[in-house]
Amino acid sequence: MIHQLTLSDVLAEHARSRPQVTAVADGEVRLTYPELDERVTRLANALAARGVTAGERVLWLGQNAHAVLELLLASSRLGAIFCPANWRQSADELSFVLEDLTPKVVVWERSEAAAPLSGDGWILAGADYEAFLAGGSAEAVAEFADDTAPVLALYTAAFDGRPNAALLSSAALVAHSASLLVVRQMEPGFTFLNNGPLFHVGTMMFCLATLQIGGTNVFTPAFDAEEVCRLVDAEKVTQAFLFGQMIDAVVAANAGGKYDLSSLRFVSHSDEWDAMITVDDSPWCRSKMGGYGQTEVGGMLTFLGLAPGAAGFAGRPSPLVQVRLLDDSGAEVPPGEAGEICARGKSLFSGYFNRPELNAAKTRGGWHHTGDLGRREPDGTITFIGPRLRMIKSGNENVYPAEVERALKTHPAVADAAVIGVPDERWHQAVKAVVVLKEGRAASAEEIVEHVKGALASYKKPRDVVFAESIPKRGFTPDYDAIDAAHGGGNYPGS
Amino acid sequence: MIHQLTLSDVLAEHARSRPQVTAVADGEVRLTYPELDERVTRLANALAARGVTAGERVLWLGQNAHAVLELLLASSRLGAIFCPANWRQSADELSFVLEDLTPKVVVWERSEAAAPLSGDGWILAGADYEAFLAGGSAEAVAEFADDTAPVLALYTAAFDGRPNAALLSSAALVAHSASLLVVRQMEPGFTFLNNGPLFHVGTMMFCLATLQIGGTNVFTPAFDAEEVCRLVDAEKVTQAFLFGQMIDAVVAANAGGKYDLSSLRFVSHSDEWDAMITVDDSPWCRSKMGGYGQTEVGGMLTFLGLAPGAAGFAGRPSPLVQVRLLDDSGAEVPPGEAGEICARGKSLFSGYFNRPELNAAKTRGGWHHTGDLGRREPDGTITFIGPRLRMIKSGNENVYPAEVERALKTHPAVADAAVIGVPDERWHQAVKAVVVLKEGRAASAEEIVEHVKGALASYKKPRDVVFAESIPKRGFTPDYDAIDAAHGGGNYPGS
């Protein structure tokens, strides 16, 4: 048992070794590590009194708040599983989560979608939560020591149309935090502003790494550019969950230089931004945060920051994992070939809650199958190609639309592209490309086919290329059902 | 099984993700990660053919060489346990190690002490080792996946007069490496010169962290100042195993500036040294490498670099462990009081080889008992006091000589001190101090007792102070048997 380290243990250690450090800042609330430790003990005792034992679920339905971290740590102390759910979901979606997870306790912020579902065991965030916590005893909880037990559930990838809760253990989260501490070069004193949604791994992973190094987590309900500026200045924030347009919004909000943002040690973005903050040279910031990840690997699987000058834009694996690119038979594909990104190692998840068949399929051969395609470059680095979910079967060969689309988009005249399979008597399916040309550029179908042939194995090249004004999308990915309907797609394997 | 990560796995990953990186440089030998991986597979197959199965031991008897890393990794591939033994030992000491560990294979460099012991299963380093390795098949070894099994044995702490082999698992070594990667801010490209002895954790831990981040390990048989300069220049070494007088020797060897040492990113030491190297700002280098550690915790347990401005000179625990200061009953002592430094967490060892009773005693209550005394300071940082092995029992109170000696040495007139217990009818033992004054300084016994009283609980102050010319030593610690004999010590608890 001397190898354990639960999230609850991490907190208990900091309460001793960092008695004066601020663990949490959230509006008027400021808690040192010993204060957070005592609140977590009270909360754990209060939850236990409501029947939350090892393996039971606790749900948070609301925006960012320090209560999220408290509920996670109290769940760890009890061996329970905590889930911060997406509060933006519809009543139907929320009701699926409730039926799926059957939580013993729900702590919630009042919302139109949640209100009709509320009932027994529901505690309103704010005064009710405070009263609930204060009612818990401050006596030490009987220790739950198994750090391989799940402690966090995050809803993610929808297979067969329903989302699944990825389960992460303390051991996995602690390992993932260690990899972030390495790549982000986090040190004591690190202050993270939780302004991204904590029901996503992208914000949660930095919240936990900040906890791991004994830093300070600042909470704000959601992204608001002016409020981010105010908090960075007031709390001397080291890093926030910011990129792209969010950074532009922060720059605009601070155009007059009202707030001092120099405590931010972060990625270079624009001249105005770089002048406001301290541009950081850690591998994470140097690489503009590139890499490949998903909830199921604890957050990040590969880091561009670990692969200076890399050919593959996803970089190299974290020091605590292994990656293999496998074909359908489970054999490794050679460098340069597309294969499913598979992983194992310390930060991996423990499967989805209550999905035994899916879990067996996803972890066949002892490797987690990410459902994404990648390629090993000659320098050993990894390129993320796209989801492997859609596959075309042509002449007994597998063709992944994402890979062909990537090749199409490297043609200088191509603005966008989608690839589908059309029924073919001889080959079962044939590859067909729908291509959008850049304004003022021209290219023939033959030219485009030749271009793909130069980049990929010949059987992957489109037999037909049709030109279109635009590609219909669902979010960021092509709406393949609409494209199939418009261009004669069908005969997909398994369909 | 998706959570495993053996040392063999780390190598297998690097062979894919870093095909062009030099893993090992040793004299004429240079190996990329794929080359090292193939040699390790051959070596594992050759060892297996000699009967090395999971749990069997493999011994190295020689100076530093890349074979040490190869034998460790091949042992990991098989689930075997590798031990790099101290080649400076006498024939009697070596013979104890051989009987204790009963290795299936010994790879050795010829020495006076080892020669009479050599026999079946002994392979001479150099040409014989190369032939042995080349005879192994290059076919993949059946995977040994349990990363919690011991893979490295390092002889350490002698209790009851005999040394014990601390067993470290892949999981513990990988976790410890992660903590070094964090505190030393190691990145890909890190090149470590193995010039300290690899049978000690101090060098081994950096060798393994360098492996973990996919860097380059350079091997040299032992410390030689001129050769260190040459290798740093030739291999663009980032860090070597250097401190104190070794650094002075390197500075002297490079007085003419013959070698370019600027690739070294290391601790500040002297003006000449600082001008030759690149002074590094990582927490490890900033703190001049302070902290507390021992083989049993994988290397370092606490780091001064994680505790800027700390009161306790051992700093704060690594992010992957917990520390408690416990009394004899297993209860935590309050801050400011001396207690045994106890630890648990990811980098801890798996007990001593073949010492079930000792292991049960050392891990009672689920905490590894280091055998050392420490104190939690008001800021939560930790001070290492000294070994707790010797204890004085006075009026039912425990008094640790190391703690009283530390207090005595803070008196401006005291150069050295040793504390013993003398038999006492009323109190069982009384505290007696033997004090050496600094040249030209004077202090009365009363003054010295008052000084200690100001720093420690009154029952710990010496009742008697005697002055002496010097303190007899065994290595760095007082020779208590000799001091007891000279000054009437006795009646120790348990004696």
Side-chain angles (χ1 to χ4, degrees), chain B residues 157-169:
Chain B
F159 307 107
D160 311 325
R162 62 173 187 179
N164 303 286
L167 297 174
L168 291 151
S169 67

Side-chain angles (χ1 to χ4, degrees), chain A residues 2-3 16-17 316 332 345, chain B residues 2 16-17 316 332 345 348:
Chain A
I2 60 173
H3 295 279
R16 289 163 172 82
S17 60
R316 289 200 169 94
E332 209 170 349
Chain B
I2 60 173
R16 289 163 172 82
S17 60
R316 289 200 169 95
E332 209 170 350
L348 271 282

